[in-house]
C-alpha cells in the first residue's frame, strides 16, 4: 500500500473509534505509516520498539547505522498534548535530533536541541483528520522519510523551518513598536497635516493631529523608541466578547448554535461561558464536544458541526470559518 493509502486507512480508523489505546494507535496508524515512509516496521534493528533510555523507554527509535535518529512517542487518542517534557528528556539524553509525538491523529515534529519553549521547538503540527491526505503525505515525507532522515535532509529542513518560525515571531512581536515609532515620527504628522489641508482646505491644529496619531498607538499612547538591548513589547491580544469561544482564528459568540446528525439522530450544542456545551457538559474544543456527541474517543469537530452565530442567516460547516 502507498503512503496515501496508509493515511486514508488511518483516518478511517481514527474516525470509527477503533483506536482506544497506545498499542492500537501504534499498530493501526504509526507502524503502517512508517513502513510506507521506507522504515521496515518489523525489523527491530531499524525500527526499535521500547527503546531503552536510561531507566525509561521510548516507544520507537528509528535507527540509522545503529544510532537513533528519530524518537517516536505514541499516546492514546486525545492525550498527545501532555507528553512534551517526557519526550524531550528522552531526546536530550540520547542526543536525538528529531522527536515525534503522536496520538495517531496529531503529529508534532520537534527539534529538542533548539532554543525556546516546547512550542518554539515544535517545527510542525499535522492533524491527519483535518489536513488533505496529499498535504499530510508531503509533510510526513519531508520530515520522516527514511531517505531524508539518513541523508540528513530531514534535519536540515526542520532547522530551516524552525529558523523561519523564529524570524516570523520576532517580526510579529516588533510590529507594535515599529508602528509606534512611525506614529511618533514628526514627518508623519507633517504629512498628515498637509493631506488634511489638501482635502478640506484648512490646516489642522498640531494638537489634533498628535491626538489622532496617539489614538493609533497601542493603548492610545505613543511608545518611546527602544534603546540598544531593550526588549520588544509583546503584541497586544485583540479583545474578544466575554464568553465567546475562540479557536484556530475562529470566534463563536455566546449564543452560537451547533448542530450535527449522527446515526440519523440530531446532536445539538451551544456556546456558553467560553466553552462549547453539549448535553450540559462544557468542552474546550469542537472535536472534544463532537467525540462526546458520538460517544467515541475522537472526532473531527471542525467538519462534524454546523454552526449558526447570532445574526447569521443560515448554517455553515465550522471548518468553513477558518482562514
Amino acid at each position: 500500500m502507498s503512503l496515501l493509502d496508509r493515511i486514508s486507512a488511518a483516518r478511517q480508523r481514527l474516525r470509527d473509534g477503533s483506536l482506544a489505546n497506545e498499542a492500537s494507535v501504534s499498530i493501526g496508524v504509526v507502524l503502517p505509516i512508517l513502513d510506507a515512509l521506507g522504515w521496515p516496521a518489523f525489523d527491530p534493528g531499524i525500527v526499535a520498539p521500547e527503546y531503552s533510555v536510561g531507566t525509561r523507554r521510548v516507544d520507537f527509535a528509528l535507527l540509522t547505522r545503529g544510532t537513533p535518529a528519530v524518537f517516536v512517542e505514541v499516546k492514546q487518542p486525545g492525550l498527545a498534548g501532555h507528553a512534551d517534557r517526557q519526550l524531550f528528556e528522552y531526546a536530550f539524553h540520547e542526543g536525538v535530533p528529531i522527536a515525534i509525538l503522536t496520538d495517531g491523529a496529531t503529529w508534532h515534529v520537534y527539534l529538542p536541541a533548539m532554543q525556546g519553549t516546547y512550542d518554539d521547538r515544535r517545527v510542525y503540527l499535522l492533524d491527519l483528520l483535518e489536513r488533505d491526505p496529499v498535504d499530510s503525505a508531503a509533510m510526513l515525507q519531508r520530515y520522516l522519510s527514511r531517505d531524508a532522515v539518513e541523508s540528513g535532509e530531514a534535519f536540515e529542513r526542520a532547522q530551516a523551518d524552525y529558523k523561519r518560525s523564529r524570524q516570523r515571531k520576532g517580526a510579529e512581536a516588533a510590529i507594535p513598536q515599529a508602528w509606534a515609532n512611525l506614529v511618533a515620527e514628526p514627518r508623519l504628522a507633517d504629512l498628515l497635516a498637509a493631506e488634511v489641508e489638501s482635502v478640506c482646505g484648512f490646516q489642522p491644529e498640531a494638537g489634533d493631529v498628535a491626538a489622532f496619531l496617539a489614538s493609533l498607538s497601542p493603548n492610545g499612547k505613543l511608545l518611546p523608541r527602544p534603546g540598544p538591548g531593550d526588549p520588544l513589547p509583546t503584541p497586544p491580544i485583540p479583545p474578544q466578547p466575554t464568553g465567546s469561544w475562540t479557536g484556530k482564528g475562529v470566534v463563536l459568540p455566546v449564543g452560537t448554535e451547533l448542530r450535527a446528525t449522527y446515526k440519523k439522530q440530531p446532536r445539538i450544542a451551544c456556546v456558553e461561558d467560553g466553552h462549547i456545551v453539549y448535553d450540559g457538559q462544557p468542552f474546550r474544543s469542537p472535536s472534544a464536544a463532537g467525540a462526546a456527541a458520538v460517544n467515541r474517543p475522537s472526532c473531527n469537530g471542525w467538519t462534524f458541526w454546523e454552526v449558526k452565530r447570532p445574526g447569521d442567516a443560515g448554517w455553515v460547516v465550522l471548518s468553513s470559518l477558518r482562514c
Side-chain angles (χ1 to χ4, degrees):
M1 295 176 67
S2 69
L3 177 57
L4 278 174
D5 291 334
R6 300 288 172 85
I7 291 173
S8 296
R11 285 159 57 95
Q12 183 59 46
R13 293 184 180 114
L14 289 163
R15 287 192 176 113
D16 67 21
S18 62
L19 307 174
N21 52 46
E22 294 175 16
S24 60
V25 171
S26 295
I27 296 171
V29 177
V30 176
L31 288 176
I33 285 177
L34 289 177
D35 187 71
L37 289 166
W39 300 96
F42 301 103
D43 185 345
I46 298 176
V47 180
E50 297 296 311
Y51 187 85
S52 296
V53 182
T55 59
R56 314 276 295 274
R57 294 179 184 275
V58 66
D59 291 323
F60 296 101
L62 307 184
L63 308 179
T64 61
R65 293 175 289 279
T67 301
V70 179
F71 276 167
V72 181
E73 186 72 6
V74 182
K75 296 299 175 185
Q76 71 183 67
L79 296 184
H82 306 287
D84 312 63
R85 182 181 299 276
Q86 173 181 303
L87 179 60
F88 273 57
E89 289 175 356
Y90 294 155
F92 274 126
H93 190 280
E94 294 292 309
V96 174
I98 297 177
I100 306 293
L101 176 62
T102 181
D103 61 359
T106 59
W107 293 64
H108 305 250
V109 182
Y110 292 102
L111 292 181
M114 297 296 105
Q115 297 180 340
T117 65
Y118 294 151
D119 282 345
D120 290 336
R121 287 176 278 181
R122 182 175 62 194
V123 298
Y124 202 92
L125 170 57
L126 169 69
D127 191 325
L128 289 183
L129 291 175
E130 294 191 10
R131 291 295 297 273
D132 178 83
V134 174
D135 292 341
S136 297
M139 189 289 293
L140 290 167
Q141 289 171 330
R142 177 176 179 80
Y143 299 117
L144 274 179
S145 76
R146 186 180 179 187
D147 288 343
V149 171
E150 290 185 336
S151 68
E153 288 184 25
F155 182 56
E156 291 174 0
R157 293 166 182 166
Q159 280 185 309
D161 292 344
Y162 167 82
K163 183 178 180 180
R164 280 194 294 270
S165 176
R166 296 276 287 184
Q167 290 171 339
R168 179 178 179 180
K169 289 179 181 178
E172 182 182 16
I175 289 174
Q177 184 64 59
W179 176 243
N181 291 349
L182 287 174
V183 170
E185 178 62 50
R187 287 175 298 176
L188 184 58
D190 294 340
L191 288 170
L192 179 57
E195 186 64 23
V196 170
E197 187 174 13
S198 72
V199 169
C200 68
F202 301 101
Q203 181 74 25
E205 294 290 335
D208 293 339
V209 172
F212 175 77
L213 292 175
S215 72
L216 303 179
S217 298
N219 302 318
K221 298 186 294 184
L222 297 180
L223 300 181
R225 289 178 178 271
D230 288 346
L232 292 171
T234 301
I237 300 174
Q240 302 295 347
T242 301
S244 296
W245 177 88
T246 304
K248 299 187 179 182
V250 175
V251 178
L252 301 181
V254 172
T256 295
E257 301 173 79
L258 296 90
R259 72 180 185 185
T261 301
Y262 180 69
K263 292 185 177 179
K264 299 182 179 181
Q265 296 297 317
R267 302 292 190 266
I268 304 297
C270 63
V271 173
E272 296 179 6
D273 195 25
H275 291 77
I276 295 173
V277 178
Y278 172 75
D279 196 24
Q281 298 297 314
F283 297 92
R284 293 183 178 274
S285 73
S287 294
V294 300
N295 194 28
R296 292 186 179 277
S298 62
C299 170
N300 182 1
W302 291 89
T303 56
F304 178 74
W305 295 108
E306 290 184 312
V307 300
K308 185 178 181 182
R309 296 166 296 185
D312 284 351
W315 294 84
V316 297
V317 177
L318 180 56
S319 61
S320 70
L321 301 179
R322 293 175 58 180
C323 298

